[in-house]
Amino acid sequence: MGKILFVSDRTEKIQQYSAFFDKKTFEFDSSYDEAAILGIIDINCPDVIIFDSTFSGTKNLIKKLKSITGSTAFILLVKDGSIEPDIIKYINAFLTEEMSENLILSIISANLKTKSALEQLSDTNKNLADSLYRLNVLYSTSSQFAGSLDKQKLVNYMIEGMDKSLSFDLTCTLAFCTEEQPVLILNSLYEISDELLSAIKLRTVLNYKSLFEDKKTPFEIDTESLKVIKNVKYPANRFTFTLFQYDNMFAPISLGDNFFGCIEIFKETPFSSDDATCFQTIAQQVSLPLKSATLYQEIKETNLKLEKLERLKSEFISIVSHELRTPLTAIKNSLDILSSGKCGEINEAGSKFLNMAQRNVQRLAGIINDLLDLSKIEAGKMDYHFANMNIHSVIDYVKSSLSGVAKEKGLNLIAEETADLPEIYADSQRLEQVLTNLVSNAIKFTPEGKTITIRSHIADASQINAHECFKEDLKKLSGKYIVVCVEDQGIGIAEKDLLRAFDKFAQIENSLSRKVGGSGLGLPIAKQLLEAHNGAIWCDSELEKGSRFYFAVPVSTILSEICRV
Ligand code: ADP
């Protein structure tokens, strides 16, 4: 029914209340000695304490006990209903000696109910505070998970989160962190003896194996080779227990077929079902970031391998091209001597074959030079000589050096006159290389009798209009540019191949590409050279009608010059 403590030194009252409360099946105690009262409160925790107001020192005793008891109800027994005003704030109710038994009973019952409601409320509040705290821990742990791709750190965050929310005495985490080397991470309050360590190792290995039953385990582990990392909070103390004395929880850390490890935690006091939910949640939450970390690791390794391969490929191209260039120069010189007639007359058929050999040597030399250029650019070893210059000089040079070839093919190569254009800060030799490639391509892919036109103008980046597929590339342009355009009336390029024309070794399938040959490197080299100028290259074209290749180089400003220094 409830526990009553009656504080009084009046024997007849004690007997009267004892008889009354016993009859009503209350647990009844009485005392007037302060030390004994404290003892009863400590051991028996009464629900209600009734103070006899005639007892001397009641007021001070009530005040004192109020501060050490929780929700116990304090009731004052007065003779006739008159109460010292000072005492009212410390008591929950009062009884008078004339009150009927029923009234007394109802007052006591009401106070018991209030006490139990208060206790429930305080329990609920405590549970709520606990849940809120755990939610906070889960939230901050999952934020830490989201911010890391390092397996070792993720495992540490998991253990930290469990420590904060469950406060364990010992965790044993088997994790596959670095290069899939299994590690047993022990986090404990106290020092672990060698015997305990052997027991933990054995238990962990058995736990691990039990997860796979008759299936093959992902990794072979034995107690001898298991690497152990120990983190001890209070190394001065030592555990004096066997694992069986502690409550424990165990969870695998895995996602689908991916197994990252397992965790077991031990605590002296029993875990609650909320603890189990929290434990499982954290162990599950860490699996996804661990999977991402594994994938990230794999991608990083693959990238490293690819970078290495790319480097080897560039080195290989560079070495082979150098090696080819020396004998090719010797062949070219010999052919030149032969065709000069210095070694004797050559008949008509002979000079035809000699011509063919010279043309092919020329072509081979072009391919080797392209390969060398590309490997230099990719290795960041290309030399640039930037200076203020006018684009007209580049156009004039290319036009005069290629008009002979164009004429031979029955093509008309013209450069449209433009008003004076502002200077650009560029490497004239590299721009000549770019324009030579564009005009050579135009010559290669344009049939006899047609015209190839070189134009140049100044444009603001915002005015440059290119095909959709080059938009991303041109986004980086800003300010004023000199734009050069090479227009031909040749075979054109299909819309789907426009971007591909700038890929390394790309030769777009058409009736001419095989016949005219080429390295497929001219446009990618041009693209990289223009990138080194903070410029861009793009094209538009229509099949059977012709193509327009454009490149843009920024107009010289103090800033562009400073940036290149
Ligand atoms: P290549 O040395 O093979 O010409 P490029 O990188 O200069 O290498 O050109 C790549 C491909 O783009 C060419 O093989 C051709 O298919 C296409 N191409 C380039 N310029 C033109 C053009 N003016 N007309 C049609 N196709 C072109």
Side-chain angles (χ1 to χ4, degrees):
M1 253 311 247
K3 295 179 211 165
I4 310 282
L5 169 63
F6 185 41
V7 179
S8 174
D9 51 3
R10 287 195 285 158
T11 320
E12 78 286 0
K13 272 290 155 203
I14 294 172
Q15 280 169 353
Q16 182 197 338
Y17 279 103
S18 168
F20 169 68
F21 283 113
D22 281 350
K23 198 168 66 194
K24 301 293 176 199
T25 68
F26 281 92
E27 232 181 82
F28 185 83
D29 251 322
S30 71
S31 179
Y32 56 85
D33 172 66
E34 192 179 318
I37 292 171
L38 288 174
I40 294 171
I41 290 176
D42 194 30
I43 297 166
N44 216 13
C45 308
D47 300 310
V48 175
I49 307 179
I50 304 171
F51 294 87
D52 185 349
S53 62
T54 63
F55 178 63
S56 68
T58 297
K59 195 168 92 186
N60 286 339
L61 187 61
I62 291 179
K63 273 195 214 167
K64 190 169 178 183
L65 297 185
K66 196 82 193 165
S67 65
I68 58 166
T69 50
S71 50
T72 305
F74 282 38
I75 295 178
L76 190 67
L77 172 66
V78 289
K79 271 212 156 118
D80 50 7
S82 59
I83 305 171
E84 245 189 84
D86 201 24
I87 215 165
I88 289 181
K89 62 176 179 250
Y90 297 109
I91 58 172
N92 302 82
F94 70 89
L95 308 172
T96 65
E97 292 188 9
E98 292 85 41
M99 269 181 186
S100 67
E101 286 193 347
N102 279 347
L103 192 54
I104 293 175
L105 204 58
S106 68
I107 291 173
I108 300 286
S109 303
N111 275 283
L112 280 176
K113 275 187 195 143
T114 312
K115 182 187 179 259
S116 127
L118 277 175
E119 277 171 357
Q120 268 180 20
L121 197 67
S122 130
D123 280 354
T124 316
N125 272 344
K126 196 176 160 305
N127 287 343
L128 267 178
D130 277 359
S131 306
L132 202 66
Y133 172 73
R134 282 194 176 173
L135 269 178
N136 264 332
V137 172
L138 283 177
Y139 176 73
S140 66
T141 308
S142 59
S143 315
Q144 282 178 316
F145 286 162
S148 179
L149 283 168
D150 180 319
K151 284 189 185 184
Q152 179 76 55
K153 276 192 187 150
L154 286 168
V155 170
N156 289 346
Y157 291 149
M158 172 187 73
I159 298 170
E160 237 172 68
M162 287 184 181
D163 192 17
K164 280 189 198 149
S165 51
L166 307 166
S167 63
F168 51 76
D169 294 326
L170 169 68
T171 64
C172 314
T173 315
L174 177 68
F176 300 93
C177 293
T178 41
E179 288 150 12
E180 304 311 347
Q181 161 82 38
V183 213
L184 177 60
I185 307 165
L186 299 178
N187 282 63
S188 67
L189 280 187
Y190 308 125
E191 191 55 76
I192 294 168
S193 67
D194 288 347
E195 300 81 62
L196 183 57
L197 181 61
S198 308
I200 291 172
K201 277 177 156 186
L202 183 62
R203 189 182 170 95
T204 307
V205 170
L206 292 176
N207 273 342
Y208 166 70
K209 291 196 170 150
S210 73
L211 284 173
F212 300 93
E213 292 185 324
D214 36 36
K215 275 184 264 150
K216 196 177 169 305
T217 53
F219 304 94
E220 276 313 306
I221 302 178
D222 58 64
T223 50
E224 299 303 303
S225 56
L226 197 56
K227 190 180 155 204
V228 178
I229 300 176
K230 261 204 290 182
N231 304 307
V232 182
K233 210 164 185 177
Y234 305 113
N237 297 333
R238 181 175 279 264
F239 276 119
T240 48
F241 72 102
T242 68
L243 290 175
F244 303 107
Q245 286 170 324
Y246 276 50
D247 198 6
N248 74 314
M249 293 194 283
F250 173 78
I253 307 164
S254 57
L255 187 72
D257 286 343
N258 296 95
F259 181 80
F260 306 107
C262 48
I263 178 160
E264 185 165 32
I265 74 175
F266 295 87
K267 196 171 158 183
E268 199 173 1
T269 51
F271 289 112
S272 65
S273 63
D274 280 355
D275 289 343
T277 316
C278 190
F279 174 69
Q280 295 290 346
T281 309
I282 298 181
Q284 270 164 18
Q285 266 187 352
V286 75
S287 312
L288 191 60
L290 277 173
K291 166 108 182 156
S292 311
T294 309
L295 290 177
Y296 174 71
Q297 187 70 27
E298 280 170 19
I299 291 172
K300 229 166 91 179
E301 278 162 19
T302 313
N303 271 351
L304 280 177
K305 274 188 207 150
L306 282 176
E307 267 171 32
K308 199 173 160 202
L309 277 177
E310 189 66 24
R311 232 185 8 259
L312 281 175
K313 189 200 75 187
S314 291
E315 275 168 25
F316 173 75
I317 290 179
S318 161
I319 292 168
V320 170
S321 325
H322 269 294
E323 291 305 311
L324 285 177
R325 213 150 65 157
T326 320
L328 200 66
T329 314
I331 296 172
K332 184 177 178 299
N333 290 343
S334 311
L335 290 174
D336 287 348
I337 294 169
L338 277 178
S339 71
S340 69
K342 283 182 190 154
C343 302
E345 272 302 298
I346 295 171
N347 63 22
E348 203 180 322
S351 86
K352 211 170 116 195
F353 285 119
L354 205 54
N355 250 331
M356 202 197 293
Q358 271 177 317
R359 267 205 318 278
N360 279 310
V361 163
Q362 193 71 24
R363 215 166 119 187
L364 204 56
I367 293 174
I368 289 170
N369 283 339
D370 280 354
L371 280 172
L372 272 173
D373 275 353
L374 196 72
S375 66
K376 262 199 235 160
I377 292 173
E378 286 181 347
K381 287 184 185 155
M382 185 61 130
D383 282 334
Y384 294 96
H385 304 283
F386 284 93
N388 280 326
M389 53 160 287
N390 199 294
I391 196 70
H392 292 310
S393 61
V394 173
I395 297 175
D396 289 347
Y397 169 83
V398 175
K399 192 192 159 208
S400 57
S401 64
L402 287 178
S403 47
V405 190
K407 208 166 163 196
E408 237 176 66
K409 219 190 140 183
L411 294 166
N412 189 17
L413 175 62
I414 54 173
E416 269 183 12
E417 286 291 319
T418 12
D420 265 354
L421 292 172
E423 286 195 320
I424 48 178
Y425 190 66
D427 180 332
S428 58
Q429 219 186 322
R430 296 297 157 213
L431 291 191
E432 280 163 16
Q433 186 176 351
V434 170
L435 190 58
T436 302
N437 179 259
L438 297 186
V439 177
S440 306
N441 278 348
I443 294 172
K444 270 201 283 189
F445 297 106
T446 305
E448 202 183 329
K450 304 279 182 186
T451 301
I452 294 163
T453 315
I454 307 172
R455 295 194 186 89
S456 54
H457 67 282
I458 179 164
D460 192 83
S462 58
Q463 298 167 318
I464 295 176
N465 228 336
H467 187 276
E468 203 49 42
C469 63
F470 297 104
K471 286 263 150 78
E472 197 51 44
D473 240 19
L474 298 185
K475 249 205 282 195
K476 57 179 188 258
L477 301 189
S478 75
K480 297 248 177 278
Y481 288 81
I482 297 296
V483 179
V484 179
C485 168
V486 177
E487 182 181 299
D488 65 47
Q489 299 169 331
I491 59 168
I493 302 172
E495 197 178 343
K496 66 173 176 42
D497 292 325
L498 287 178
L499 202 57
R500 212 167 63 80
F502 294 88
D503 285 350
K504 274 184 266 178
F505 305 106
Q507 277 183 343
I508 290 138
E509 206 48 58
N510 57 45
S511 53
L512 272 182
S513 52
R514 298 239 171 271
K515 209 156 54 173
V516 295
S519 65
L521 290 176
L523 290 176
I525 290 174
K527 189 168 179 289
Q528 306 237 33
L529 292 177
L530 281 156
E531 265 163 24
H533 281 78
N534 287 336
I537 184 164
W538 67 99
C539 67
D540 62 44
S541 185
E542 213 178 318
L543 274 177
E544 312 299 338
K545 293 240 166 87
S547 311
R548 273 189 297 264
F549 278 80
Y550 300 87
F551 69 86
V553 185
V555 164
S556 176
T557 59
I558 303 255
L559 195 65
S560 64
E561 291 171 32
I562 292 171
C563 289
R564 297 261 149 246
V565 174

